[in-house]
C-alpha cells in the first residue's frame, strides 16, 4: 500500500515539502450536482436574490483561489486558470469546475473546492424555496501533470 505523504514517520500530519519537485503544467476538473425539487427548480430564473447560477460560478472561482486557506495542509498556488460551469438541468444544477497552474504540486483540491463551494452557493441562493436540496456527487473528473501522471474518471461523467 502506498504511504500517505501528509503524515510524518510518527503519524503526525504535515505539509508535504514540494521544493524538490519540478514545476510542470497541471490541470484538474471536478464535478458536483445539486438535486432540487421540481417546484423550486422552476423558480430558479425568477430568484429575488439574483441569478443563483452566475453567483455560484463566481463563488466557485473565488473559492479555488483561496483553497489553501480552507484546507489546512494544502499548498498556496498561483492559479493560471479557474472556471466554473453551472448548468440548470431537469433534476437540478450540475457544476463542473476547472483549474490550472504551473507549479510543483497539483490543482485537484482547487477544482474540488470550486465545485463544492459553487454547489453550496446554489443551496444558499435557493434554500428559501426548498430546504431539502441535496448536494451530491462531488468528485474529481480528471487531472493532468505531475509525478503521478494523468487521471480520468471512468464512466459517463461530465
Amino acid at each position: 500500500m502506498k504511504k500517505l505523504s501528509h503524515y510524518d514517520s510518527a503519524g503526525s500530519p504535515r505539509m508535504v515539502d514540494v521544493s524538490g519537485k519540478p514545476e510542470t503544467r497541471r490541470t484538474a476538473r471536478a464535478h458536483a450536482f445539486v438535486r432540487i425539487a421540481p417546484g423550486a427548480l422552476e423558480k430558479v430564473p425568477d430568484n429575488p436574490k439574483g441569478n443563483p447560477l452566475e453567483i455560484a460560478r463566481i463563488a466557485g472561482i473565488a473559492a479555488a483561489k483561496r483553497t489553501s486557506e480552507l484546507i489546512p495542509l494544502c499548498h498556496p498556488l498561483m492559479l493560471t486558470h479557474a472556471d466554473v460551469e453551472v448548468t440548470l438541468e431537469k433534476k437540478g444544477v450540475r457544476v463542473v469546475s476547472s483549474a490550472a497552474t504551473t507549479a510543483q504540486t497539483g490543482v485537484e483540491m482547487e477544482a474540488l473546492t470550486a465545485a463544492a463551494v459553487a454547489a453550496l452557493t446554489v443551496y444558499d441562493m435557493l434554500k428559501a424555496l426548498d430546504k431539502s436540496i441535496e448536494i451530491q456527487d462531488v468528485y474529481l473528473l480528471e487531472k493532468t501533470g505531475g509525478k503521478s501522471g494523468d487521471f480520468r474518471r471512468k464512466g459517463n461523467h461530465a
Side-chain angles (χ1 to χ4, degrees):
M1 185 157 124
K2 187 174 179 180
K3 181 182 165 199
L4 295 174
S5 60
H6 281 83
Y7 294 94
D8 65 17
S9 59
S12 297
R14 67 180 177 100
M15 187 174 195
V16 176
D17 181 359
V18 297
S19 61
K21 295 171 75 175
E23 287 187 357
T24 60
R25 176 157 168 78
R26 297 156 187 267
T27 67
R29 291 177 61 235
H31 171 276
F33 190 77
V34 186
R35 184 168 301 280
I36 304 168
L41 196 57
E42 67 188 30
K43 295 178 184 175
V44 167
D46 303 318
N47 191 313
K49 287 185 174 183
N51 181 343
L53 305 184
E54 188 60 16
I55 294 167
R57 189 179 80 77
I58 298 301
I61 292 168
K65 294 165 49 175
R66 300 185 75 168
T67 299
S68 68
E69 296 174 34
L70 301 169
I71 310 296
L73 301 179
C74 195
H75 293 86
L77 294 178
M78 177 63 71
L79 296 179
T80 57
H81 169 80
D83 198 15
V84 178
E85 298 171 17
V86 185
T87 309
L88 194 60
E89 294 186 358
K90 184 177 159 183
K91 295 186 177 187
V93 173
R94 185 167 312 278
V95 176
V96 177
S97 64
S98 58
T101 191
T102 300
Q104 296 165 307
T105 189
V107 290
E108 297 95 63
M109 293 309 301
E110 287 72 12
L112 285 161
T113 299
V117 169
L120 286 165
T121 301
V122 170
Y123 180 92
D124 182 51
M125 295 293 294
L126 301 176
K127 68 186 179 215
L129 300 174
D130 180 12
K131 300 276 192 284
S132 68
I133 293 170
E134 293 180 14
I135 297 171
Q136 305 173 332
D137 303 326
V138 178
Y139 52 75
L140 184 67
L141 289 167
E142 65 182 27
K143 72 97 162 167
T144 66
K147 182 178 171 184
S148 65
D150 296 352
F151 164 83
R152 283 187 180 49
R153 181 171 288 278
K154 292 182 168 114
N156 187 16
H157 303 281

